[in-house]
Amino acid sequence: MMESTPTRSALLQARDERQVMGEGFRFLDEKRLLLAAEMARQFERYQQERELWLQQHQEALNALQQGIARHGLHGLQLLPTPAAPGALQSEQRRFFGVILQEILQSAPPTTAATHSLPSPEARFCQQSLQQLLATSTLLAARSGNLHRLLAEYKRTERRARALEDLLLPELDELIHEMELSLEELEQEEAVRVRLGRSA
């Protein structure tokens, strides 16, 4: 509701504000769509990488069972520690301010310990676990991307909803009331002018 007599300048200012707010809403609406599309792309890649992880997880379980069958649990624990994974190569990019992490490649691990392993089962166990760890790194980066994108989407959604459901309707109502009030004032002024001429 208006608290004072409307003026033409106040009406023009309200219309300008409405235009700016409308442009802001259109930007947020477009941003929502682009964020949703990027989330869909990231989720599709996550599903592919998770399928690979599940296969490698099963292979690692099989390798572990074979290693235990050959060396026993205690014997397998006494074998040399698997080589640590190599340094990760990654790159970051920004998508509407959201940092997206891409793991480009994991450098090959040191294989010195592999040659000292006493059996094919032990070597298979080590290689399977190393592959699983590398894919787990990909999954972790992808999951982080999805969480950050979702958080930004929710923030954008809240802002767009506030504009669409609250601020824009209130401003439209204010502009409508100002236009009606100014129209009434102009009609009253026209009546006064006519009465003044006829007097």
Side-chain angles (χ1 to χ4, degrees):
M1 297 296 292
M2 292 177 296
E3 297 179 357
S4 59
T5 305
T7 62
R8 279 284 165 198
S9 62
L11 177 59
L12 290 174
Q13 184 178 356
R15 284 175 176 167
D16 288 344
E17 186 179 349
R18 172 64 175 83
Q19 182 179 354
V20 171
M21 207 175 284
E23 289 172 359
F25 170 72
R26 285 189 291 276
F27 169 76
L28 290 173
D29 192 41
E30 182 71 18
K31 182 179 176 182
R32 274 190 300 194
L33 293 174
L34 293 173
L35 284 168
E38 181 63 24
M39 277 193 293
R41 280 192 293 273
Q42 291 281 333
F43 186 67
E44 183 179 354
R45 294 184 67 183
Y46 174 85
Q47 286 181 310
Q48 293 169 355
E49 289 160 359
R50 179 160 170 74
E51 280 298 316
L52 176 62
W53 184 90
L54 288 171
Q55 292 171 10
Q56 291 176 344
H57 183 263
Q58 188 58 51
E59 288 176 6
L61 282 177
N62 293 340
L64 193 58
Q65 289 172 350
Q66 292 175 23
I68 291 172
R70 174 73 183 267
H71 299 282
L73 181 59
H74 183 67
L76 198 62
Q77 290 174 335
L78 295 177
L79 293 177
T81 305
L88 294 174
Q89 296 178 3
S90 65
E91 75 176 16
Q92 291 182 349
R93 64 184 175 94
R94 288 189 173 271
F95 187 83
F96 284 104
V98 180
I99 296 176
L100 299 180
Q101 184 90 20
E102 295 291 335
I103 305 298
L104 302 177
Q105 190 176 7
S106 179
T110 307
T111 56
T114 304
H115 300 300
S116 64
L117 294 176
S119 69
E121 290 83 2
R123 286 191 288 277
F124 179 45
C125 188
Q126 183 185 79
Q127 291 166 357
S128 299
L129 291 171
Q130 285 172 340
Q131 289 175 353
L132 184 64
L133 182 58
T135 306
S136 297
T137 306
L138 293 177
L139 270 181
R142 193 76 57 206
S143 177
N145 290 346
L146 284 167
H147 279 90
R148 288 188 293 276
L149 284 166
L150 181 59
E152 184 62 25
Y153 181 87
K154 287 180 177 178
R155 275 194 296 272
T156 304
E157 176 76 8
R158 282 195 302 271
R159 292 171 184 164
R161 290 275 184 200
L163 283 172
E164 185 179 26
D165 298 337
L166 184 63
L167 298 176
L168 286 172
E170 284 182 358
L171 194 51
D172 286 338
E173 184 179 352
L174 176 63
I175 290 171
H176 180 67
E177 290 178 3
M178 290 175 76
E179 289 172 340
L180 288 178
S181 296
L182 285 171
E183 189 178 332
E184 289 174 4
L185 289 172
E186 288 172 358
Q187 289 175 355
E188 289 174 7
E189 183 63 27
V191 169
R192 274 197 296 272
V193 168
R194 279 194 218 122
L195 290 176
R197 286 179 184 167
S198 61

